[in-house]
Amino acid sequence: MTRRARLISYMALVGLYATGIHSCGGSVVGAPCEDGYTECADGCYDFSADPQHCGGCKTVCAPNESCLQGVCGVCPQGTTACDGVCVDLLSDESNCGACGTQCDPGLGCVNGQCETCPSGTTLCAGECVTLSSDPMHCGACENACKTDESCVDGTCVLECDPPTILCGDECVNIGTNADHCGTCYNVCPPSEPVCVNGSCELVCPDWMELCNGECVNTDFDPVNCGACGVICPDATPVCLDGTCVSECPPPLVLCDRDCVDLADDPLHCGACFNICHPDEMCADYTCVLDCGDLTECAGACVNTQTDAQHCGECGAACDIDEVCINGSCELVCGEGLIECDGECIDPLTDRNHCGGCGIECGGDEVCANGTCIPDCGVLTWCGEDCVDLNSDNDHCGACGTACPSGWFCVSGDCELDCPVPFVACGTTCADLTSDPLHCGECFNACESGICDDAVCRAESAGHLVAIGHDLTTSHTTLRRIIGNSIFMSLESPVEVLAFTAFADTSAGGQVEKIDAAISDSAAALGRTWRKTQATTSAQVIEALLSHDVFLVYLQQYASDAQLNEIGNELFSVLNSFLKVGGIVVFTDADIEANSGTAKIFDAADLFLCTSVHDVSNATAVVTVPGDAVVQGTTTTYFATENSAFFSSDEGVVVVAHQATGNPLIIHKVFLPEGKPKKK
């Protein structure tokens, strides 16, 4: 393969075509797009209005849809899509009769034609209207009157139905309204509180009569007995049924000049002028609490059907988490809670009752919004993977919130600025000291794929990638990391020699799952690979130099002695392989059988590592985002089951355990002038 072909293949590996340099007619171009347009692989497009690139390079709207502000949709009936906006061609002055037809100054769009309105009328929403009387455009365009208003001289006024008239902002009947009696704002005084036919008058109830400006009951009033002004004499001082009599009939007694029943009269309870309290009644000559339909309990009126302290009867108190319903204490849970096994629980968060009673989440799951999902620790579950909402471009700040092309997710917000030490190169944040596509300056791509201290290395280099994950459980980020490691090779297809001597080759085992992860990554990157299996050191020695990548799966069934033996046997061929630009990738984990697959490379004098240690279900952080191994990944991710860190200070730590800083993934580069010395 030529050096130029290697460069173009490497660009495809790490996504250069998606960052602003793309192939067009067989050449590489990087001219910026005009304002409002965004670069795609085949040109610049307006994502807000282009139905073939609606909201993104690969989003194509259906035949019956238009691109409306970056979203595929259908305009409401009577409107048409023009430049990504639904408009009415009959009234839109910028699109009058057809998209892009702009009416000249002073002309309006009337029924799809640019015209002027007749004298006395004004153009409003494609119609010529009279502002002084049009209820939809009263005094000004779009100033619509309410349904009970009319437009008078350009002002919306309340329209009153007879016999009411407008007083302020309400319709009133001045013939009967005491606040507007006879005319607006004429308020009747307390002495004449009723408005009758527009006049304020004192009006007595049917059972009373007006006597000298007062309403009195002539059946019992001793100064108006039977009629106004009739005063009962001292000999017959009592007025009874409109007649003056000498005494009250039993059981009534005379209190002053009134006949009263001391047994139940609240003004004369048990004795004349013994007045009961307003909340009391007179019963059997005694003032008692007046509870009406309620029940007196401990000196208070209560409803024993609903009172939690007196439920069903006085003194029967409900428990603190119960309420009284129809006289019985019942458990009632608060808003959002449900009863399960006699307890109130939140079905949105309870692991034992997730989404409903008895639905239990697994040991490595949590309950979120009523659904059991994997426990992502400090990360967030977004449908398929645990993601970092602070840095994931597809889930920035919230699941499904994708940053536009050319923007980056920084602390949960989509921004155009790159965090230090990165700089913006086109639509990519790049570390100019190590990025082989932007080495020393933007778009300065290293043909060798090696950028060291902002300088391109002229020759090819070997790579060793130690991955502290066995990938039996993986997600998008882990699959991208194993894929990036394999496809650092620029060949097509990449020839991979896979060592499976002591690996799990069972159906659904580690080997099968890593192969699937590589294939998934190959599809995402547009690459291909071909695998050859080796089960002995002799097979590796014979075939390695004719391959591009040496992949060593976790050797979980080997002892330390067997791993050391393999390393010693492969010492010479591995060193030769790395010196000519070969790539070595191995996965590792903390297992009982041995001290780590890294023992092979320690014995071969390539990677000094004493042991590996488990950090499963922890948070991992990318420490060198510009490294080819972690291109296109999130800045943090969930370290799945069987993850481990290396007791080693070799190479560049590209991923570390967030809590301790210990290395989970190490990338060691072997420069052409010889293998680096151990630190």
Side-chain angles (χ1 to χ4, degrees), residues 217-554:
N217 187 343
T218 56
D219 286 341
F220 302 102
D221 193 327
V223 296
N224 298 281
C225 191
C228 292
V230 177
I231 302 174
C232 291
D234 292 339
T236 55
V238 178
C239 183
L240 185 65
D241 295 330
T243 302
C244 294
V245 297
S246 59
E247 58 183 17
C248 297
L252 304 182
V253 298
L254 183 65
C255 288
D256 194 8
R257 301 176 71 89
D258 293 320
C259 290
V260 300
D261 187 347
L262 300 181
D264 59 14
D265 193 317
L267 299 178
H268 308 277
C269 188
C272 288
F273 307 112
N274 183 36
I275 302 173
C276 293
H277 193 271
D279 61 354
E280 294 179 326
M281 61 182 292
C282 185
D284 294 330
Y285 305 94
T286 303
C287 291
V288 296
L289 197 62
D290 184 8
C291 290
D293 294 334
L294 304 180
T295 302
E296 180 185 355
C297 291
C301 296
V302 300
N303 185 347
T304 57
Q305 297 298 297
T306 59
D307 194 296
Q309 299 302 314
H310 308 280
C311 189
E313 60 182 350
C314 292
C318 296
D319 291 339
I320 191 170
D321 57 351
E322 294 179 325
V323 295
C324 185
I325 300 177
N326 295 327
S328 298
C329 293
E330 296 183 11
L331 179 66
V332 175
C333 299
E335 183 178 358
L337 305 181
I338 63 173
E339 179 188 352
C340 290
D341 299 329
E343 295 185 45
C344 293
I345 62 97
D346 184 351
L348 298 181
T349 59
D350 194 294
R351 294 182 67 255
N352 296 317
H353 308 281
C354 189
C357 293
I359 302 175
E360 296 187 21
C361 295
D364 58 351
E365 294 180 320
V366 294
C367 184
N369 293 321
T371 301
C372 293
I373 63 172
D375 186 356
C376 293
V378 298
L379 304 182
T380 302
W381 178 255
C382 287
E384 295 181 353
D385 293 306
C386 294
V387 303
D388 184 354
L389 299 182
N390 288 319
S391 59
D392 194 297
N393 275 9
D394 294 324
H395 307 280
C396 190
C399 290
T401 301
C403 293
S405 176
W407 292 61
F408 309 97
C409 188
V410 179
S411 299
D413 292 317
C414 293
E415 299 181 2
L416 279 172
D417 295 329
C418 295
V420 176
F422 298 92
V423 298
C425 291
T427 57
T428 297
C429 286
D431 183 348
L432 301 184
T433 65
S434 61
D435 194 320
L437 303 178
H438 308 280
C439 190
E441 61 182 346
C442 288
F443 306 112
N444 181 35
C446 299
E447 293 189 13
S448 64
I450 304 172
C451 179
D452 182 24
D453 197 22
V455 177
C456 289
R457 285 283 179 176
E459 300 295 336
S460 296
H463 300 267
L464 184 147
V465 182
I467 300 176
H469 307 284
D470 75 347
L471 275 81
T472 53
T473 303
S474 67
H475 46 65
T476 300
T477 297
L478 288 179
R479 292 192 290 272
R480 183 62 181 266
I481 287 172
I482 188 70
N484 284 348
S485 301
I486 298 296
F487 295 114
M488 279 194 292
S489 170
L490 308 177
E491 302 299 332
S492 181
V494 176
E495 298 288 352
V496 178
L497 183 63
F499 188 60
T500 61
F502 297 99
D504 178 11
T505 58
S506 63
Q510 188 219 15
V511 170
E512 185 174 299
K513 290 185 176 180
I514 289 182
D515 290 351
I518 296 172
S519 294
D520 286 348
S521 188
L525 295 170
R527 301 294 305 279
T528 59
W529 71 299
R530 183 160 52 206
K531 171 184 170 181
T532 301
Q533 183 170 295
T535 59
T536 67
S537 296
Q539 291 175 343
V540 175
I541 294 171
E542 180 182 355
L544 183 57
L545 294 180
S546 63
H547 287 77
D548 307 309
V549 177
F550 183 41
L551 172 62
V552 180
Y553 305 95
L554 172 68

Side-chain angles (χ1 to χ4, degrees), residues 7 10-22 28 428 437-438 443 445:
L7 172 60
Y10 190 80
M11 290 175 178
L13 166 64
V14 294
L16 179 60
Y17 291 122
T19 66
I21 298 182
H22 50 265
V28 176
T428 297
L437 303 178
H438 308 280
F443 306 112

Side-chain angles (χ1 to χ4, degrees), residues 43-66:
C44 297
Y45 298 96
D46 181 359
F47 284 178
S48 67
D50 193 320
Q52 299 300 312
H53 306 83
C54 189
C57 290
K58 298 182 180 180
T59 303
V60 180
C61 296
N64 64 327
E65 293 180 326
S66 301

